[in-house]
Amino acid sequence: MNPVGAEEGFLDFKVSDEVFKTWYKVFGDLKSTQHRPLVALHGGPGAPHQSILSLVDLNTKYDVPIVLYDQIGNGNSTHLKEKPKDFWSFDLFMDELDNLLVQLGISNNYNLLGHSWGGILAAHYVAHKKPEGLKRLVLSNAPASMDLWLKRMNQLLDEMPREDQEILRKHEAAGTMDSEEYHKSMHKFHSRYTCRLTTTPVELQQAGRLLMSDPTVFEAMNGTANFTENTGKLNGWSIFEHLPMFTAKTLVINSHYDQAGDETIQPFLKLIPNVEWIKFEDSSHFPMWEERERYMEAVGKFLRF
């Protein structure tokens, strides 16, 4: 997926006295006077740009310039397996986003889309940076708090076959999430609530393999469990109190079988002043793949009009 005009490269990202590399790829013309560029934040944490690569359709079909990038520690950007948990923080990822916007020359006029963890990061960025250049915000399949996320994950676990419930709970209690038995039951969970397509897109498979090959960021931010208390930096995270101050027009997206269920996103809908909501009835956590055409149509319309 490499349309004509796509360009990629690396941006220097300075942290204290160290310089790291942020990989990015631009699809379309960032200097276009017709359409504002969209910067997309991938999820995980640690599932690099391939997980949302279908968003390139917004450029090829709707002429929206797209910027994809791998957050530090992920994909093509600098990996830092040796860094302690304390190194990883919201401030780190927000500073990296600021650096990208400035170096690409779009910090005064852009839109932002965050998927899953990327939506958490986008919401946190808007709350704490209050970016004047941000015009429109898309929060896709993201929770408004980690407590709501964990509640929803356990609701979905309760819908799994009894045997899989017992396997997943047993291994999370014992801390043996690296067991083959655990991974087999998680695969069943993902086929229901992450991507429901009969064949998982190769890009999404690649993103999963890359995350598993270096889970440093995921484990630092999220911990190692899926259904028990978060032991990473995201533990206790909530954005409720900041939502009434959001000024950018916002589109909230979730799906019927989503890990970000309706209750999980309700605070966005109740508290953001200028907000719209779209729900995909035949999708789970990746509607940009599961209902690709409809997703692009909805987001493209929101961004263009």
Side-chain angles (χ1 to χ4, degrees), residues 72-91:
I72 186 173
N74 304 298
N76 297 321
S77 294
T78 304
H79 285 246
L80 298 163
K81 295 182 180 181
E82 75 283 0
K83 292 296 185 182
K85 182 178 177 179
D86 287 346
F87 174 81
W88 306 98
S89 67
F90 273 107
D91 285 343

Side-chain angles (χ1 to χ4, degrees), residues 10 46 63 83 151 154 227 252 274:
F10 292 89
D63 296 323
K83 292 296 185 182
K151 180 181 178 181
N154 279 277
F227 306 102
V252 175
N274 189 0

Side-chain angles (χ1 to χ4, degrees), residues 25 27 84 88 118 147 151 188 240 257 262 286 295 303:
K25 192 164 189 173
F27 300 86
W88 306 98
D147 286 345
K151 180 181 178 181
K188 294 178 185 178
F240 296 175
Y257 303 98
D262 291 355
F286 281 90
Y295 185 97
L303 295 176

Side-chain angles (χ1 to χ4, degrees), residues 23 62 150 185 244 280:
W23 177 91
Y62 300 101
L150 187 61
S185 289
F280 292 89

Side-chain angles (χ1 to χ4, degrees), residues 158-167 169:
D158 289 341
E159 297 177 5
M160 292 287 289
R162 176 65 61 183
E163 179 183 4
D164 293 303
Q165 292 183 42
E166 292 175 354
I167 288 171
R169 290 193 171 103

Side-chain angles (χ1 to χ4, degrees), residues 34-36 61-64 111 135-138 249-251 274 276 296-305:
Q34 290 185 305
H35 304 297
R36 191 180 297 115
K61 294 183 178 182
Y62 300 101
D63 296 323
V64 175
N111 297 322
K135 306 306 178 185
R136 298 204 175 185
L137 173 66
V138 182
K249 186 175 182 180
T250 302
L251 174 64
N274 189 0
E276 299 177 14
M296 302 307 161
E297 182 181 358
V299 175
K301 181 180 179 181
F302 174 77
L303 295 176
R304 286 163 57 98
F305 300 106

Side-chain angles (χ1 to χ4, degrees), residues 271-304:
L271 298 173
I272 295 176
N274 189 0
V275 65
E276 299 177 14
W277 176 29
I278 294 178
K279 183 175 181 178
F280 292 89
E281 293 296 336
D282 297 321
S283 295
S284 54
H285 199 50
F286 281 90
M288 71 277 291
W289 293 105
E290 296 166 283
E291 293 183 70
R292 184 168 177 168
E293 186 173 348
R294 183 172 172 240
Y295 185 97
M296 302 307 161
E297 182 181 358
V299 175
K301 181 180 179 181
F302 174 77
L303 295 176
R304 286 163 57 98

